[in-house]
Amino acid sequence: AAAGGGGAGVNSLTYSKSLDTSVTTTTISNSTTETTIYSYTEAANALSTNKVLHIIVSGTHLQNSGSNKQVTVRMKYGATTMTNVATANLATSATTGTFTYHFYLMAHGATNVQEAYFTGTHETGTGVKILINDQGTAAIDSTASQTLVVTAQLSSATATQTYTKRFATINMKNA
């Protein structure tokens, strides 16, 4: 059986290796500028032809503007935007809510074929959860170092909307 696979009498082990953790906060408020909330430079050849990177980004979001707003979340690998999705309208609330994003970037059998998948949740502060998801592909040369970037962009500039990344981590699956 191939590595990572299974079969009669074959034991396999898939494991995860932590590559980076960030607890540095990044706050966006009163701006519609796309802002980097997490960045990681992947070493040349690290993604290989069969590795998966799992990126988790979490934080808080206060949306007390008096009207519905959105947040657009993007994940970029090299020069390619692989996922790009806006939340549904986030209702106004005086209570701070949370968000958690999961990004998966994987090599798809070659060093220049990648796929990305994204799922995320926003909790509005009033207990309402908004789910978002997206997927994308790229043809980036992973035999060279590449930067992986997660950005967020608010739909309007208002001081009563504050978006703060509190934590991010990246792990390599089948490392």
Side-chain angles (χ1 to χ4, degrees):
V10 176
N11 291 321
S12 65
L13 176 65
T14 301
Y15 58 96
S16 179
K17 176 182 176 183
S18 178
L19 301 177
D20 184 52
T21 298
S22 169
V23 293
T24 303
T25 59
T26 302
T27 299
I28 307 168
S29 184
N30 206 21
S31 172
T32 59
T33 302
E34 181 180 11
T35 303
T36 297
I37 59 172
Y38 180 68
S39 179
Y40 174 78
T41 300
E42 174 209 15
N45 296 306
L47 200 55
S48 187
T49 61
N50 64 344
K51 305 293 190 232
V52 177
L53 296 178
H54 179 201
I55 304 97
I56 302 169
V57 180
S58 293
T60 58
H61 183 230
L62 176 63
Q63 202 296 87
N64 195 20
S65 68
S67 63
N68 292 341
K69 303 294 180 198
Q70 294 178 316
V71 176
T72 300
V73 181
R74 297 176 182 92
M75 193 271 287
K76 302 174 182 189
Y77 181 62
T80 301
T81 299
M82 296 192 67
T83 64
N84 179 5
V85 65
T87 63
N89 283 328
L90 299 168
T92 191
S93 173
T95 304
T96 300
T98 61
F99 65 86
T100 301
Y101 306 141
H102 291 266
F103 299 90
Y104 295 91
L105 172 67
M106 63 199 73
H108 194 67
T111 58
N112 64 343
V113 180
Q114 296 88 24
E115 293 181 5
Y117 297 89
F118 165 70
T119 60
T121 59
H122 271 260
E123 189 275 314
T124 64
T126 58
V128 176
K129 293 196 180 348
I130 296 173
L131 304 176
I132 52 178
N133 61 61
D134 197 24
Q135 64 185 49
T137 60
I140 303 297
D141 177 11
S142 68
T143 64
S145 293
Q146 299 294 338
T147 302
L148 189 142
V149 176
V150 176
T151 68
Q153 184 173 11
L154 304 180
S155 62
S156 66
T158 174
T160 55
Q161 184 179 23
T162 304
Y163 178 97
T164 304
K165 184 272 293 179
R166 300 242 180 237
F167 168 80
T169 187
I170 184 168
N171 298 298
M172 181 173 283
K173 305 295 184 180
N174 205 23

